[in-house]
Amino acid sequence: SSGINAEYGGKIGLSVESISKGVFVSYVESDSIAAKAGLRFGDQIVQINGESVAGWNKKKTIEFLKKADASQIRFAVRDRPFERTITCVKDSHGHIGFQFKKGKINAIVKDSSAARNGMLTDHFITEIDGQNVVGMSDDKILKVIKSKERTVTVTVMPEFVYDHMVKHLGKSLKKHMDHSEPTEL
Protein backbone atom coordinates (compact mmCIF):
# COMPACT_ATOMS: atom_id res chain seq x y z
CA SER A 1 0.00 0.00 0.00
CA SER A 2 1.46 3.33 -1.01
CA GLY A 3 0.33 6.88 -0.38
CA ILE A 4 -0.26 9.20 -3.31
CA ASN A 5 -0.94 12.90 -3.09
CA ALA A 6 -2.98 14.55 -5.80
CA GLU A 7 -3.45 18.30 -5.88
CA TYR A 8 -7.15 18.88 -6.33
CA GLY A 9 -7.71 21.12 -9.30
CA GLY A 10 -11.36 20.48 -10.03
CA LYS A 11 -10.85 17.63 -12.46
CA ILE A 12 -8.60 14.85 -11.19
CA GLY A 13 -8.79 12.80 -14.40
CA LEU A 14 -9.87 9.60 -12.70
CA SER A 15 -12.72 7.13 -12.79
CA VAL A 16 -13.37 4.13 -10.57
CA GLU A 17 -15.36 0.90 -10.43
CA SER A 18 -16.52 -1.03 -7.39
CA ILE A 19 -15.59 -4.74 -7.36
CA SER A 20 -16.04 -7.14 -4.41
CA LYS A 21 -16.57 -4.22 -1.97
CA GLY A 22 -13.34 -2.55 -3.14
CA VAL A 23 -12.80 0.63 -5.17
CA PHE A 24 -10.55 0.28 -8.23
CA VAL A 25 -9.10 2.78 -10.70
CA SER A 26 -10.75 2.10 -14.08
CA TYR A 27 -9.51 5.17 -15.94
CA VAL A 28 -6.63 7.62 -15.66
CA GLU A 29 -6.68 10.53 -18.10
CA SER A 30 -3.47 11.37 -19.93
CA ASP A 31 -1.55 14.31 -18.34
CA SER A 32 -4.12 14.54 -15.53
CA ILE A 33 -3.51 15.10 -11.84
CA ALA A 34 -4.22 11.38 -11.27
CA ALA A 35 -1.63 10.39 -13.92
CA LYS A 36 1.00 12.74 -12.46
CA ALA A 37 0.24 11.36 -8.98
CA GLY A 38 1.04 7.85 -10.23
CA LEU A 39 -2.42 6.27 -10.12
CA ARG A 40 -2.70 3.36 -12.57
CA PHE A 41 -5.45 1.30 -14.17
CA GLY A 42 -6.33 -1.54 -11.77
CA ASP A 43 -5.00 0.10 -8.59
CA GLN A 44 -7.17 -0.46 -5.53
CA ILE A 45 -7.93 2.73 -3.61
CA VAL A 46 -8.11 1.80 0.07
CA GLN A 47 -8.35 5.29 1.57
CA ILE A 48 -9.07 8.84 0.45
CA ASN A 49 -7.92 11.57 2.84
CA GLY A 50 -7.52 8.97 5.59
CA GLU A 51 -11.05 7.64 5.21
CA SER A 52 -11.49 3.96 4.35
CA VAL A 53 -13.42 3.41 1.12
CA ALA A 54 -14.11 -0.31 1.71
CA GLY A 55 -17.68 -1.05 0.65
CA TRP A 56 -18.11 2.24 -1.21
CA ASN A 57 -19.75 2.12 -4.63
CA LYS A 58 -18.66 4.15 -7.66
CA LYS A 59 -21.22 6.93 -7.05
CA LYS A 60 -20.24 7.47 -3.40
CA THR A 61 -16.53 7.54 -4.29
CA ILE A 62 -16.98 10.07 -7.12
CA GLU A 63 -19.23 12.27 -4.94
CA PHE A 64 -16.64 12.19 -2.13
CA LEU A 65 -13.89 13.23 -4.56
CA LYS A 66 -16.03 16.04 -5.99
CA LYS A 67 -16.78 17.39 -2.51
CA ALA A 68 -13.16 17.22 -1.35
CA ASP A 69 -12.25 20.91 -1.43
CA ALA A 70 -8.98 20.53 0.42
CA SER A 71 -5.92 21.73 -1.45
CA GLN A 72 -4.77 18.13 -1.56
CA ILE A 73 -6.41 14.77 -1.93
CA ARG A 74 -4.45 11.89 -0.43
CA PHE A 75 -4.98 8.36 -1.73
CA ALA A 76 -3.77 5.20 -0.04
CA VAL A 77 -3.41 2.66 -2.82
CA ARG A 78 -2.75 -1.04 -3.19
CA ASP A 79 -0.98 -1.70 -6.48
CA ARG A 80 -3.16 -3.59 -8.96
CA PRO A 81 -4.17 -6.63 -6.86
CA PHE A 82 -6.11 -8.35 -9.68
CA GLU A 83 -3.18 -8.20 -12.08
CA ARG A 84 -0.23 -10.56 -12.61
CA THR A 85 3.11 -9.70 -14.09
CA ILE A 86 4.86 -12.21 -16.34
CA THR A 87 8.41 -11.69 -17.56
CA CYS A 88 9.01 -13.09 -21.03
CA VAL A 89 12.24 -13.38 -23.02
CA LYS A 90 12.15 -12.98 -26.80
CA ASP A 91 13.28 -15.97 -28.87
CA SER A 92 15.68 -15.73 -31.84
CA HIS A 93 12.77 -14.48 -33.98
CA GLY A 94 11.85 -11.74 -31.49
CA HIS A 95 8.68 -13.55 -30.31
CA ILE A 96 7.66 -13.92 -26.66
CA GLY A 97 5.17 -16.70 -27.20
CA PHE A 98 1.55 -15.57 -27.16
CA GLN A 99 -1.09 -14.22 -29.51
CA PHE A 100 -3.75 -11.64 -28.69
CA LYS A 101 -6.79 -10.07 -30.30
CA LYS A 102 -8.40 -6.81 -29.09
CA GLY A 103 -5.91 -6.84 -26.21
CA LYS A 104 -6.98 -10.30 -24.99
CA ILE A 105 -4.54 -13.22 -24.97
CA ASN A 106 -6.11 -16.01 -27.02
CA ALA A 107 -3.21 -18.41 -27.69
CA ILE A 108 0.05 -19.45 -26.05
CA VAL A 109 2.88 -20.96 -28.08
CA LYS A 110 3.98 -24.36 -26.74
CA ASP A 111 7.44 -24.32 -25.09
CA SER A 112 7.69 -20.51 -25.41
CA SER A 113 8.91 -18.10 -22.76
CA ALA A 114 5.28 -17.06 -22.13
CA ALA A 115 4.26 -20.72 -21.62
CA ARG A 116 7.22 -21.45 -19.32
CA ASN A 117 6.46 -18.38 -17.20
CA GLY A 118 2.76 -19.07 -16.65
CA MET A 119 0.99 -16.84 -19.18
CA LEU A 120 -2.74 -17.63 -19.39
CA THR A 121 -5.34 -17.16 -22.10
CA ASP A 122 -8.54 -15.18 -21.42
CA HIS A 123 -6.49 -12.42 -19.78
CA PHE A 124 -6.20 -8.87 -21.08
CA ILE A 125 -2.84 -7.16 -21.49
CA THR A 126 -2.89 -4.05 -19.30
CA GLU A 127 0.78 -3.02 -19.28
CA ILE A 128 4.01 -3.68 -21.18
CA ASP A 129 7.10 -2.85 -19.10
CA GLY A 130 4.91 -0.68 -16.86
CA GLN A 131 3.32 1.27 -19.75
CA ASN A 132 -0.50 1.16 -19.76
CA VAL A 133 -1.80 -0.32 -23.03
CA VAL A 134 -5.53 -0.48 -22.13
CA GLY A 135 -7.52 0.91 -25.05
CA MET A 136 -4.61 0.71 -27.50
CA SER A 137 -5.11 -1.06 -30.83
CA ASP A 138 -3.47 -4.47 -31.27
CA ASP A 139 -1.06 -2.92 -33.78
CA LYS A 140 0.06 -0.33 -31.21
CA ILE A 141 0.44 -2.98 -28.48
CA LEU A 142 2.54 -5.10 -30.86
CA LYS A 143 4.65 -2.04 -31.70
CA VAL A 144 5.27 -1.44 -27.96
CA ILE A 145 6.31 -5.11 -27.50
CA LYS A 146 8.59 -5.01 -30.56
CA SER A 147 10.25 -1.80 -29.32
CA LYS A 148 11.39 -3.51 -26.13
CA GLU A 149 14.72 -5.20 -25.55
CA ARG A 150 15.02 -8.99 -25.18
CA THR A 151 13.16 -9.15 -21.84
CA VAL A 152 9.56 -7.92 -21.76
CA THR A 153 7.38 -7.63 -18.66
CA VAL A 154 3.69 -8.18 -19.48
CA THR A 155 0.98 -7.30 -16.95
CA VAL A 156 -2.33 -9.10 -17.42
CA MET A 157 -5.78 -9.05 -15.82
CA PRO A 158 -8.41 -11.83 -15.91
CA GLU A 159 -11.14 -11.21 -18.49
CA PHE A 160 -14.02 -11.08 -15.96
CA VAL A 161 -12.30 -8.37 -13.90
CA TYR A 162 -11.18 -6.42 -16.99
CA ASP A 163 -14.70 -6.47 -18.48
CA HIS A 164 -16.11 -5.06 -15.22
CA MET A 165 -13.40 -2.37 -15.07
CA VAL A 166 -13.95 -1.07 -18.61
CA LYS A 167 -17.71 -1.60 -19.02
CA HIS A 168 -18.47 2.11 -18.57
CA LEU A 169 -15.53 3.39 -20.61
CA GLY A 170 -16.48 4.49 -24.09
CA LYS A 171 -14.05 4.34 -27.02
CA SER A 172 -13.34 8.06 -26.65
CA LEU A 173 -12.31 7.66 -23.01
CA LYS A 174 -9.95 4.81 -23.88
CA LYS A 175 -8.24 7.14 -26.40
CA HIS A 176 -7.58 9.68 -23.62
CA MET A 177 -6.23 7.04 -21.22
CA ASP A 178 -2.73 7.69 -19.93
CA HIS A 179 -0.38 5.61 -22.12
CA SER A 180 2.83 7.41 -21.19
CA GLU A 181 5.94 5.37 -20.54
CA PRO A 182 6.87 5.12 -16.86
CA THR A 183 9.65 7.40 -15.68
CA GLU A 184 12.37 6.20 -13.36
CA LEU A 185 12.10 7.83 -9.94
Side-chain angles (χ1 to χ4, degrees):
S1 169
S2 58
I4 293 174
N5 284 318
E7 298 263 335
Y8 186 69
K11 199 170 172 204
I12 300 172
L14 173 75
S15 192
V16 298
E17 284 298 332
S18 173
I19 302 173
S20 302
K21 300 291 183 194
V23 176
F24 294 85
V25 175
S26 63
Y27 172 75
V28 178
E29 188 167 325
S30 185
D31 294 322
S32 67
I33 291 161
K36 289 178 177 111
L39 287 169
R40 290 158 76 180
F41 177 87
D43 279 347
Q44 180 181 5
I45 299 171
V46 290
Q47 287 183 345
I48 303 171
N49 291 345
E51 190 159 339
S52 172
V53 300
W56 287 16
N57 62 17
K58 177 179 182 166
K59 187 174 182 227
K60 182 172 181 174
T61 306
I62 299 294
E63 282 173 2
F64 185 85
L65 287 170
K66 282 181 178 171
K67 283 182 195 151
D69 52 296
S71 61
Q72 284 194 326
I73 293 181
R74 182 156 174 80
F75 295 95
V77 175
R78 191 166 158 229
D79 291 345
R80 303 171 306 289
F82 283 118
E83 294 174 74
R84 304 174 56 220
T85 301
I86 295 121
T87 301
C88 300
V89 179
K90 292 181 179 180
D91 65 16
S92 59
H93 304 289
H95 300 146
I96 55 178
F98 65 88
Q99 295 172 348
F100 60 95
K101 187 171 178 144
K102 294 185 178 171
K104 184 170 95 172
I105 296 167
N106 58 12
I108 308 220
V109 179
K110 190 175 189 282
D111 297 326
S112 67
S113 179
R116 285 191 300 276
N117 290 300
M119 184 68 76
L120 299 169
T121 58
D122 301 321
H123 279 61
F124 277 84
I125 304 166
T126 58
E127 293 180 355
I128 304 291
D129 281 355
Q131 179 182 354
N132 178 0
V133 296
V134 174
M136 274 189 191
S137 68
D138 287 347
D139 287 344
K140 280 189 177 170
I141 294 172
L142 193 57
K143 200 172 173 184
V144 170
I145 292 170
K146 285 183 173 178
S147 77
K148 301 302 175 186
E149 298 295 322
R150 199 158 170 258
T151 303
V152 182
T153 303
V154 182
T155 306
V156 296
M157 176 182 278
E159 181 176 16
F160 71 94
V161 178
Y162 181 88
D163 286 348
H164 190 86
M165 294 281 283
V166 301
K167 70 181 175 190
H168 296 114
L169 295 183
K171 280 197 167 101
S172 64
L173 268 186
K174 284 185 188 170
K175 283 190 181 109
H176 298 290
M177 180 94 70
D178 178 29
H179 291 131
S180 60
E181 291 196 43
T183 51
E184 294 297 318
L185 295 176

